Amino acid sequence: ELKVEQNPLFLSMQEGKNYTIYCNYSTTSDRLYWYRQDPGKSLESLFVLLSNGAVKQEGRLMASLDTKARLSTLHITAAVHDLSATYFCAVDGETSGSRLTFGEGTQLTVNP
Amino acid sequence: GAGVSQTPSNKVTEKGKYVELRCDPISGHTALYWYRQSLGQGPEFLIYFQGTGAADDSGLPNDRFFAVRPEGSVSTLKIQRTERGDSAVYLCASSPTRGTEAFFGQGTRLTVV
């Protein structure tokens, strides 16, 4: 059974600071996704990582994938209040077909 | 429409009643997924359709849950004899085909009282 673990689960940080969210998964994977969810809203796709060593950046967020370590990171640079949300990683395992297995989510609060 | 549309956005029902949740995927997307998200948790897979057929229904928790997609577009998730534990947000997603990026709808918040 594919397991996906995120840490930390809760993150409170000051504006302007940097931090990294980690996503570990338990089996080989074709694809890894990062999603953002605002309270009461649906999931917004942030990044799709398809191969070992993949790195993608959008604004203050950068995601990377190490398939050998079964690890993805979401790095936040110079955080701003608008980044406050819950961030999920999700894995599409090789043997799981097209079903995504999600982590528990990291609830990020950026304080002014 | 431009995105995945789910109706209703909120549904309150009494324990033991039957409910139907509707999902209208992005036009042309052949793959459709249902997930369930409980408060403070990540979404959990329920069922996946490729076209009209359920390619993977291994996530349905029990036989009270059933989903259809008769014409390969709109899908309906049906829950019989609802229980309080069924209360959650039910999310629908679609993708152009299997294994491509999935886009999520706004969800239906189901509350069983």
Side-chain angles (χ1 to χ4, degrees):
Chain A
E1 180 187 350
L2 175 57
K3 294 186 187 301
V4 181
E5 293 183 349
Q6 287 182 237
N7 73 85
L9 299 183
F10 298 93
L11 176 56
S12 180
M13 56 192 299
Q14 296 293 319
E15 280 192 328
K17 298 294 186 182
N18 304 331
Y19 208 82
T20 300
I21 299 170
Y22 297 88
C23 174
N24 290 274
Y25 54 96
S26 62
T27 189
T28 53
S29 169
D30 287 338
R31 302 164 189 87
L32 189 138
Y33 303 83
W34 283 96
Y35 288 90
R36 168 182 172 146
Q37 187 174 41
D38 291 288
K41 304 292 186 182
S42 191
L43 297 161
E44 174 192 353
S45 178
L46 295 175
F47 300 107
V48 181
L49 302 171
L50 299 177
S51 61
N52 188 41
V55 177
K56 292 197 173 179
Q57 183 163 5
E58 180 73 32
R60 301 174 188 276
L61 300 178
M62 183 174 71
S64 66
L65 178 61
D66 181 344
T67 58
K68 293 179 182 177
R70 297 177 186 170
L71 170 69
S72 180
T73 61
L74 181 66
H75 187 71
I76 304 155
T77 302
V80 293
H81 180 67
D82 286 352
L83 289 179
S84 297
T86 299
Y87 293 84
F88 291 97
C89 64
V91 174
D92 180 356
E94 286 183 351
T95 58
S96 67
S98 290
R99 60 191 295 178
L100 293 177
T101 301
F102 284 81
E104 292 183 20
T106 297
Q107 187 176 317
L108 171 66
T109 303
V110 181
N111 303 302
Chain B
V4 178
S5 175
Q6 290 186 248
T7 54
S9 54
N10 282 283
K11 175 71 176 178
V12 180
T13 190
E14 292 182 347
K15 180 175 178 292
K17 297 290 188 183
Y18 168 84
V19 296
E20 290 189 351
L21 312 179
R22 176 189 167 107
C23 172
D24 199 341
I26 293 172
S27 178
H29 282 193
T30 62
L32 185 146
Y33 314 82
W34 285 97
Y35 290 83
R36 178 168 71 174
Q37 186 175 24
S38 300
L39 190 64
Q41 301 291 320
E44 293 180 317
F45 171 82
L46 295 176
I47 187 169
Y48 153 59
F49 286 89
Q50 182 61 45
T52 60
D56 182 355
D57 64 357
S58 61
L60 295 177
N62 52 59
D63 61 6
R64 295 187 297 107
F65 288 75
F66 189 71
V68 295
R69 193 185 186 200
E71 298 178 359
S73 178
V74 171
S75 176
T76 305
L77 179 66
K78 309 180 180 192
I79 310 173
Q80 298 177 319
R81 305 184 302 279
T82 51
E83 299 177 358
R84 293 196 178 88
D86 298 334
S87 297
V89 175
Y90 288 81
L91 294 165
C92 177
S94 71
S95 63
T97 188
R98 176 190 174 191
T100 54
E101 184 180 4
F103 298 89
F104 283 80
Q106 294 293 320
T108 294
R109 182 176 298 278
L110 175 66
T111 304
V112 182
V113 297

